[in-house]
């Protein structure tokens, strides 16, 4: 599992199975837990590269302003889902 949380550091992203799971918890550059478009673009590129080789599952944590829903829709739409 790969977690994206601005409040904690994670190591390098090593893919060791034929699938991976990304948990989006808190954007670094957005506001109040929202991810900025630049952050989402970076993740889109990373996930697109992984999808060429493995299954990728991702989810955004719920929040009080529905940023998770908007961020997930943006990412899914830009990944062709």
């Amino acid at each position: 599992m790969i977690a994206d949380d601005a409040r904690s550091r994670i190591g390098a992203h090593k893919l060791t199975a034929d699938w991976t799971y990304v948990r989006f918890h808190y954007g670094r550059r957005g506001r109040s837990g929202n991810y900025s478009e630049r952050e989402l673009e970076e993740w889109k590129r990373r996930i697109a590269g992984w999808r060429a080789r493995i299954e990728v599952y991702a989810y955004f944590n719920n929040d009080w302003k529905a940023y998770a829903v908007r961020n997930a829709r943006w990412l899914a739409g830009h990944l062709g889902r």
Side-chain angles (χ1 to χ4, degrees):
M1 179 173 91
I2 298 167
D4 186 45
D5 186 338
R7 297 167 293 185
S8 65
R9 286 288 186 223
I10 58 173
H13 302 136
K14 284 189 174 183
L15 301 175
T16 59
D18 60 353
W19 62 275
T20 193
Y21 175 76
V22 184
R23 176 178 172 244
F24 292 91
H25 187 63
Y26 198 85
R28 290 181 180 89
R29 291 178 288 239
R31 301 285 186 260
S32 302
N34 189 28
Y35 278 78
S36 69
E37 192 167 315
R38 184 173 173 192
E39 286 176 294
L40 292 172
E41 280 286 346
E42 290 170 7
W43 276 104
K44 180 192 82 166
R45 285 191 297 274
R46 185 176 294 147
I47 290 170
W50 294 339
R51 284 176 60 198
R53 298 176 287 145
I54 63 172
E55 292 287 325
V56 180
Y57 301 93
Y59 89 93
F60 289 81
N61 277 4
N62 288 333
D63 61 80
W64 59 97
K65 294 187 178 181
Y67 293 134
V69 174
R70 287 184 286 227
N71 292 164
R73 284 183 175 166
W74 187 99
L75 186 59
H78 285 80
L79 283 168
R81 291 277 176 168

